[in-house]
PDB file of all heavy atoms in Angstrom:
ATOM      1  N   GLY A  13       5.836 -21.599  16.676  1.00 85.00           N
ATOM      2  CA  GLY A  13       6.690 -22.749  16.941  1.00 85.00           C
ATOM      3  C   GLY A  13       7.597 -23.062  15.776  1.00 85.00           C
ATOM      4  O   GLY A  13       8.061 -22.180  15.052  1.00 85.00           O
ATOM      5  N   SER A  19      15.593 -20.745  10.636  1.00 95.00           N
ATOM      6  CA  SER A  19      16.042 -22.117  10.404  1.00 95.00           C
ATOM      7  C   SER A  19      15.174 -22.826   9.361  1.00 95.00           C
ATOM      8  O   SER A  19      15.469 -23.953   8.976  1.00 95.00           O
ATOM      9  CB  SER A  19      16.026 -22.915  11.716  1.00 95.00           C
ATOM     10  OG  SER A  19      14.690 -23.132  12.149  1.00 95.00           O
ATOM     11  N   VAL A  56      -2.826 -11.910  12.647  1.00 96.00           N
ATOM     12  CA  VAL A  56      -3.302 -12.819  11.608  1.00 96.00           C
ATOM     13  C   VAL A  56      -2.922 -14.243  12.001  1.00 96.00           C
ATOM     14  O   VAL A  56      -1.760 -14.531  12.279  1.00 96.00           O
ATOM     15  CB  VAL A  56      -2.684 -12.484  10.233  1.00 96.00           C
ATOM     16  CG1 VAL A  56      -3.157 -13.477   9.174  1.00 96.00           C
ATOM     17  CG2 VAL A  56      -3.000 -11.051   9.821  1.00 96.00           C
ATOM     18  N   GLU A  62      -6.944 -26.165  13.338  1.00 83.00           N
ATOM     19  CA  GLU A  62      -6.932 -25.719  14.734  1.00 83.00           C
ATOM     20  C   GLU A  62      -8.048 -26.434  15.474  1.00 83.00           C
ATOM     21  O   GLU A  62      -8.990 -26.920  14.871  1.00 83.00           O
ATOM     22  CB  GLU A  62      -7.215 -24.206  14.845  1.00 83.00           C
ATOM     23  CG  GLU A  62      -6.105 -23.307  14.438  1.00 83.00           C
ATOM     24  CD  GLU A  62      -4.958 -23.248  15.417  1.00 83.00           C
ATOM     25  OE1 GLU A  62      -5.086 -23.692  16.573  1.00 83.00           O
ATOM     26  OE2 GLU A  62      -3.895 -22.757  15.019  1.00 83.00           O
ATOM     27  N   ARG A  66      -5.605 -21.034  21.335  1.00 91.00           N
ATOM     28  CA  ARG A  66      -5.290 -20.155  22.462  1.00 91.00           C
ATOM     29  C   ARG A  66      -4.657 -18.845  21.992  1.00 91.00           C
ATOM     30  O   ARG A  66      -4.958 -17.770  22.508  1.00 91.00           O
ATOM     31  CB  ARG A  66      -4.360 -20.870  23.436  1.00 91.00           C
ATOM     32  CG  ARG A  66      -4.090 -20.036  24.691  1.00 91.00           C
ATOM     33  CD  ARG A  66      -3.114 -20.702  25.603  1.00 91.00           C
ATOM     34  NE  ARG A  66      -1.798 -20.623  25.000  1.00 91.00           N
ATOM     35  CZ  ARG A  66      -0.836 -21.499  25.202  1.00 91.00           C
ATOM     36  NH1 ARG A  66      -1.019 -22.535  25.967  1.00 91.00           N
ATOM     37  NH2 ARG A  66       0.341 -21.351  24.618  1.00 91.00           N
ATOM     38  N   VAL A  67      -3.804 -18.934  20.976  1.00 93.00           N
ATOM     39  CA  VAL A  67      -3.105 -17.749  20.481  1.00 93.00           C
ATOM     40  C   VAL A  67      -4.086 -16.694  19.968  1.00 93.00           C
ATOM     41  O   VAL A  67      -3.880 -15.492  20.161  1.00 93.00           O
ATOM     42  CB  VAL A  67      -2.052 -18.146  19.420  1.00 93.00           C
ATOM     43  CG1 VAL A  67      -2.698 -18.693  18.171  1.00 93.00           C
ATOM     44  CG2 VAL A  67      -1.132 -16.998  19.098  1.00 93.00           C
ATOM     45  N   LEU A  68      -5.162 -17.122  19.335  1.00 95.00           N
ATOM     46  CA  LEU A  68      -6.170 -16.175  18.859  1.00 95.00           C
ATOM     47  C   LEU A  68      -6.885 -15.529  20.037  1.00 95.00           C
ATOM     48  O   LEU A  68      -7.098 -14.310  20.056  1.00 95.00           O
ATOM     49  CB  LEU A  68      -7.172 -16.876  17.934  1.00 95.00           C
ATOM     50  CG  LEU A  68      -8.278 -16.001  17.341  1.00 95.00           C
ATOM     51  CD1 LEU A  68      -7.704 -14.834  16.549  1.00 95.00           C
ATOM     52  CD2 LEU A  68      -9.201 -16.852  16.465  1.00 95.00           C
ATOM     53  N   ALA A  73      -7.733 -10.907  23.537  1.00 94.00           N
ATOM     54  CA  ALA A  73      -7.743 -10.379  24.905  1.00 94.00           C
ATOM     55  C   ALA A  73      -6.925  -9.104  25.036  1.00 94.00           C
ATOM     56  O   ALA A  73      -7.208  -8.265  25.890  1.00 94.00           O
ATOM     57  CB  ALA A  73      -7.228 -11.437  25.889  1.00 94.00           C
ATOM     58  N   ILE A  79      -7.560 -11.407  12.177  1.00 97.00           N
ATOM     59  CA  ILE A  79      -7.943 -12.118  10.957  1.00 97.00           C
ATOM     60  C   ILE A  79      -7.543 -13.564  11.193  1.00 97.00           C
ATOM     61  O   ILE A  79      -6.424 -13.836  11.650  1.00 97.00           O
ATOM     62  CB  ILE A  79      -7.174 -11.572   9.729  1.00 97.00           C
ATOM     63  CG1 ILE A  79      -7.457 -10.086   9.531  1.00 97.00           C
ATOM     64  CG2 ILE A  79      -7.515 -12.381   8.484  1.00 97.00           C
ATOM     65  CD1 ILE A  79      -6.500  -9.397   8.568  1.00 97.00           C
ATOM     66  N   THR A  81      -8.146 -17.881   9.709  1.00 97.00           N
ATOM     67  CA  THR A  81      -8.709 -18.801   8.729  1.00 97.00           C
ATOM     68  C   THR A  81      -9.890 -19.555   9.337  1.00 97.00           C
ATOM     69  O   THR A  81      -9.996 -19.697  10.552  1.00 97.00           O
ATOM     70  CB  THR A  81      -7.636 -19.788   8.235  1.00 97.00           C
ATOM     71  OG1 THR A  81      -6.933 -20.312   9.353  1.00 97.00           O
ATOM     72  CG2 THR A  81      -6.672 -19.112   7.290  1.00 97.00           C
ATOM     73  N   GLU A  88     -16.317 -19.127  15.659  1.00 94.00           N
ATOM     74  CA  GLU A  88     -17.105 -18.995  16.893  1.00 94.00           C
ATOM     75  C   GLU A  88     -16.429 -18.040  17.868  1.00 94.00           C
ATOM     76  O   GLU A  88     -17.083 -17.243  18.522  1.00 94.00           O
ATOM     77  CB  GLU A  88     -17.278 -20.362  17.549  1.00 94.00           C
ATOM     78  CG  GLU A  88     -18.104 -20.304  18.821  1.00 94.00           C
ATOM     79  CD  GLU A  88     -18.256 -21.665  19.475  1.00 94.00           C
ATOM     80  OE1 GLU A  88     -18.131 -22.686  18.803  1.00 94.00           O
ATOM     81  OE2 GLU A  88     -18.492 -21.679  20.695  1.00 94.00           O
ATOM     82  N   LEU A  90     -14.189 -15.518  17.161  1.00 95.00           N
ATOM     83  CA  LEU A  90     -14.167 -14.131  16.671  1.00 95.00           C
ATOM     84  C   LEU A  90     -15.559 -13.525  16.492  1.00 95.00           C
ATOM     85  O   LEU A  90     -15.715 -12.305  16.575  1.00 95.00           O
ATOM     86  CB  LEU A  90     -13.432 -14.057  15.337  1.00 95.00           C
ATOM     87  CG  LEU A  90     -11.943 -13.865  15.395  1.00 95.00           C
ATOM     88  CD1 LEU A  90     -11.341 -13.959  14.008  1.00 95.00           C
ATOM     89  CD2 LEU A  90     -11.571 -12.553  16.042  1.00 95.00           C
ATOM     90  N   VAL A  99      -9.353 -21.110   4.273  1.00 95.00           N
ATOM     91  CA  VAL A  99      -8.011 -21.683   4.405  1.00 95.00           C
ATOM     92  C   VAL A  99      -7.301 -21.626   3.048  1.00 95.00           C
ATOM     93  O   VAL A  99      -7.918 -21.843   2.005  1.00 95.00           O
ATOM     94  CB  VAL A  99      -8.104 -23.147   4.895  1.00 95.00           C
ATOM     95  CG1 VAL A  99      -6.731 -23.804   4.940  1.00 95.00           C
ATOM     96  CG2 VAL A  99      -8.761 -23.204   6.260  1.00 95.00           C
ATOM     97  N   ARG A 123     -12.648  -2.219  16.692  1.00 93.00           N
ATOM     98  CA  ARG A 123     -12.803  -3.623  16.300  1.00 93.00           C
ATOM     99  C   ARG A 123     -12.055  -4.528  17.275  1.00 93.00           C
ATOM    100  O   ARG A 123     -12.559  -5.560  17.703  1.00 93.00           O
ATOM    101  CB  ARG A 123     -12.298  -3.839  14.883  1.00 93.00           C
ATOM    102  CG  ARG A 123     -12.486  -5.257  14.394  1.00 93.00           C
ATOM    103  CD  ARG A 123     -12.248  -5.356  12.903  1.00 93.00           C
ATOM    104  NE  ARG A 123     -13.377  -4.875  12.156  1.00 93.00           N
ATOM    105  CZ  ARG A 123     -14.430  -5.621  11.845  1.00 93.00           C
ATOM    106  NH1 ARG A 123     -14.503  -6.865  12.227  1.00 93.00           N
ATOM    107  NH2 ARG A 123     -15.416  -5.118  11.140  1.00 93.00           N
ATOM    108  N   TRP A 125     -11.244  -3.885  20.417  1.00 96.00           N
ATOM    109  CA  TRP A 125     -11.882  -3.886  21.743  1.00 96.00           C
ATOM    110  C   TRP A 125     -13.177  -4.682  21.720  1.00 96.00           C
ATOM    111  O   TRP A 125     -13.566  -5.270  22.727  1.00 96.00           O
ATOM    112  CB  TRP A 125     -12.087  -2.470  22.261  1.00 96.00           C
ATOM    113  CG  TRP A 125     -10.782  -1.933  22.787  1.00 96.00           C
ATOM    114  CD1 TRP A 125     -10.014  -0.970  22.208  1.00 96.00           C
ATOM    115  CD2 TRP A 125     -10.078  -2.368  23.945  1.00 96.00           C
ATOM    116  NE1 TRP A 125      -8.870  -0.782  22.940  1.00 96.00           N
ATOM    117  CE2 TRP A 125      -8.883  -1.625  24.013  1.00 96.00           C
ATOM    118  CE3 TRP A 125     -10.321  -3.317  24.933  1.00 96.00           C
ATOM    119  CZ2 TRP A 125      -7.940  -1.808  25.024  1.00 96.00           C
ATOM    120  CZ3 TRP A 125      -9.386  -3.493  25.947  1.00 96.00           C
ATOM    121  CH2 TRP A 125      -8.221  -2.742  25.985  1.00 96.00           C
ATOM    122  N   ARG A 143     -18.396 -21.613  35.438  1.00 87.00           N
ATOM    123  CA  ARG A 143     -18.741 -22.846  34.715  1.00 87.00           C
ATOM    124  C   ARG A 143     -18.332 -24.089  35.499  1.00 87.00           C
ATOM    125  O   ARG A 143     -19.068 -25.078  35.537  1.00 87.00           O
ATOM    126  CB  ARG A 143     -18.091 -22.843  33.335  1.00 87.00           C
ATOM    127  CG  ARG A 143     -18.767 -21.903  32.369  1.00 87.00           C
ATOM    128  CD  ARG A 143     -18.213 -22.085  30.956  1.00 87.00           C
ATOM    129  NE  ARG A 143     -18.605 -20.978  30.131  1.00 87.00           N
ATOM    130  CZ  ARG A 143     -17.774 -20.066  29.645  1.00 87.00           C
ATOM    131  NH1 ARG A 143     -16.488 -20.150  29.866  1.00 87.00           N
ATOM    132  NH2 ARG A 143     -18.225 -19.073  28.907  1.00 87.00           N
ATOM    133  N   SER A 150     -23.783 -29.567  39.601  1.00 87.00           N
ATOM    134  CA  SER A 150     -24.648 -30.493  38.878  1.00 87.00           C
ATOM    135  C   SER A 150     -24.300 -31.937  39.204  1.00 87.00           C
ATOM    136  O   SER A 150     -25.167 -32.769  39.468  1.00 87.00           O
ATOM    137  CB  SER A 150     -24.521 -30.238  37.370  1.00 87.00           C
ATOM    138  OG  SER A 150     -25.217 -31.218  36.649  1.00 87.00           O
ATOM    139  N   ILE A 154     -26.599 -34.760  41.434  1.00 75.00           N
ATOM    140  CA  ILE A 154     -26.985 -36.042  40.857  1.00 75.00           C
ATOM    141  C   ILE A 154     -26.620 -37.183  41.807  1.00 75.00           C
ATOM    142  O   ILE A 154     -27.355 -38.156  41.949  1.00 75.00           O
ATOM    143  CB  ILE A 154     -26.307 -36.259  39.484  1.00 75.00           C
ATOM    144  CG1 ILE A 154     -26.887 -35.294  38.466  1.00 75.00           C
ATOM    145  CG2 ILE A 154     -26.451 -37.697  38.997  1.00 75.00           C
ATOM    146  CD1 ILE A 154     -26.143 -35.272  37.142  1.00 75.00           C
ATOM    147  N   GLN A 155     -25.483 -37.049  42.508  1.00 64.00           N
ATOM    148  CA  GLN A 155     -25.000 -38.108  43.376  1.00 64.00           C
ATOM    149  C   GLN A 155     -25.767 -38.199  44.689  1.00 64.00           C
ATOM    150  O   GLN A 155     -25.660 -39.174  45.402  1.00 64.00           O
ATOM    151  CB  GLN A 155     -23.510 -37.919  43.663  1.00 64.00           C
ATOM    152  CG  GLN A 155     -22.666 -38.157  42.422  1.00 64.00           C
ATOM    153  CD  GLN A 155     -21.190 -37.959  42.711  1.00 64.00           C
ATOM    154  OE1 GLN A 155     -20.800 -37.522  43.782  1.00 64.00           O
ATOM    155  NE2 GLN A 155     -20.366 -38.304  41.725  1.00 64.00           N
TER     156      GLN A 155
END
Side-chain angles (χ1 to χ4, degrees):
S19 69
V56 178
E62 286 287 346
R66 185 184 72 208
V67 66
L68 181 58
I79 301 166
T81 47
E88 181 181 337
L90 272 174
V99 176
R123 183 168 282 275
W125 282 108
R143 286 188 195 112
S150 173
I154 291 171
Q155 291 180 353

